[in-house]
Amino acid sequence: MALLADRTRLALLERLGRGEADVTTLTEHIGAARPAVSQHLAKLRLAGLVATHKDGRRVVYSLRDGHLRRLVDEALNVADHQIRSLPPHD
């Protein structure tokens, strides 16, 4: 859960929830420096939250499982409700 508290890692997980991507694609999406994105991805990989596979010379990242995608989606929904002062619901 602590890894989800970082804005960049949360953005990376949100993007990977929509499909696998390489570092270049993730860097463009996040708008952060490539070394920073690579470091965040390494932390997520070591924690077992993302998986990798090679596609030629590229390393492609994906979420480890759908549970994480749903967790990230819900975390972002909660944040959206807080920011926009929306009433809670089930």
Side-chain angles (χ1 to χ4, degrees):
M1 294 302 280
L3 289 173
L4 298 178
D6 182 88
R7 171 181 268 164
T8 300
R9 287 192 292 267
L10 189 57
L12 288 168
L13 293 171
E14 184 276 327
R15 170 55 186 85
L16 290 172
R18 292 187 273 130
E20 62 184 25
D22 63 5
V23 174
T24 301
T25 301
L26 293 168
T27 299
E28 291 170 358
H29 176 77
I30 303 302
R34 186 181 181 99
V37 170
S38 293
Q39 288 177 359
H40 285 295
L41 287 168
K43 288 179 183 181
L44 294 170
R45 196 174 116 240
L46 286 173
L49 300 179
V50 298
T52 62
H53 72 272
K54 288 268 196 170
D55 181 18
R57 292 176 39 180
R58 297 181 321 135
V59 176
V60 179
Y61 292 83
S62 61
L63 290 185
R64 181 70 66 182
D65 61 47
H67 293 292
L68 181 58
R69 180 184 47 77
R70 289 188 293 279
L71 178 65
V72 169
D73 287 345
E74 285 302 316
L76 292 172
N77 283 332
V78 168
D80 188 47
H81 275 72
Q82 291 292 331
I83 290 167
R84 297 171 65 204
S85 298
L86 299 174
H89 60 83
D90 287 338

